[in-house]
Amino acid sequence: AGILFVCSAGNEGADVDQIPEFPSGFGGLPTCLSVAAMTSTDNLAPFSSFGHRSVGVAAPGQSIISTAPRSQFSPNGSYATLSGTSMSAPYASGIAVLLSSHEPSLTPAQVKRRIIATSEPIPALVSKTANSGRANALSALTNRIAPPQSPIVLSASFTKKAVTLDGFGFLN
């Protein structure tokens, strides 16, 4: 019982943890999954908003072929190549529907957690999404969590009181 809301992270290229946008600002709620956009080369799309706490996963969102009405993007009203987090959110929505029909006893919060936990770790998403990962339908359906890997430091920053390391494999 209940509903999982899947929403776009936004196309401002902003950190929604620092400057909340909505609906992606609700991504920290247990039944709201916010989705960032990725390029075909596994990078965060330059326009995509992100947030380690607010954005759950990323999915393809740049140069996506989609149906379209007659417009400047599709003069014939059939298909158009579009980019945006509105193109990436349907990927995660599809995974949520597949997972819910495959395991109907899962609650919306459990579906969200499964999609995030089984996302495929991608270096370009470190500290950009909750699990630094790209949504993966097969992994979600089989509950396959990526195996731990040796620590990889992608960046480091220092202050007088703290050292912050971004990367993979620090905690299993």
Side-chain angles (χ1 to χ4, degrees):
I3 297 172
L4 175 64
F5 296 93
V6 178
C7 65
S8 304
N11 297 324
E12 285 74 33
D15 183 344
V16 295
D17 289 344
Q18 301 298 318
I19 304 168
E21 294 177 22
F22 294 93
S24 63
F26 294 120
L29 296 174
T31 58
C32 183
L33 177 63
S34 180
V35 185
M38 297 189 67
T39 67
S40 61
T41 57
D42 273 345
N43 288 304
L44 184 70
F47 56 80
S48 181
S49 293
F50 56 90
H52 188 69
R53 289 184 313 274
S54 301
V55 179
V57 293
Q62 188 174 44
S63 301
I64 304 298
I65 296 174
S66 180
T67 56
R70 286 184 204 270
S71 72
Q72 63 185 11
F73 302 113
S74 178
N76 298 328
S78 57
Y79 297 96
T81 301
L82 303 171
S83 296
T85 56
S86 292
M87 295 290 104
S88 57
Y91 282 94
S93 296
I95 294 170
V97 169
L98 286 170
L99 186 54
S100 294
S101 65
H102 183 66
E103 295 184 46
S105 64
L106 293 176
T107 67
Q110 289 171 322
V111 170
K112 175 187 175 177
R113 285 194 304 269
R114 172 84 66 87
I115 292 169
I116 292 171
T118 60
S119 62
E120 201 65 37
I122 303 293
L125 296 176
V126 167
S127 295
K128 303 292 184 188
T129 65
N131 204 36
S132 304
R134 177 184 358 97
N136 184 307
L138 179 60
S139 294
L141 289 171
T142 58
N143 202 14
R144 180 193 171 274
I145 296 178
Q149 48 185 284
S150 298
I152 298 170
V153 177
L154 297 172
S155 68
S157 61
F158 305 88
T159 67
K160 288 183 178 183
K161 296 181 180 183
V163 175
T164 302
L165 300 175
D166 271 343
F168 290 117
F170 298 115
L171 298 173
N172 291 337

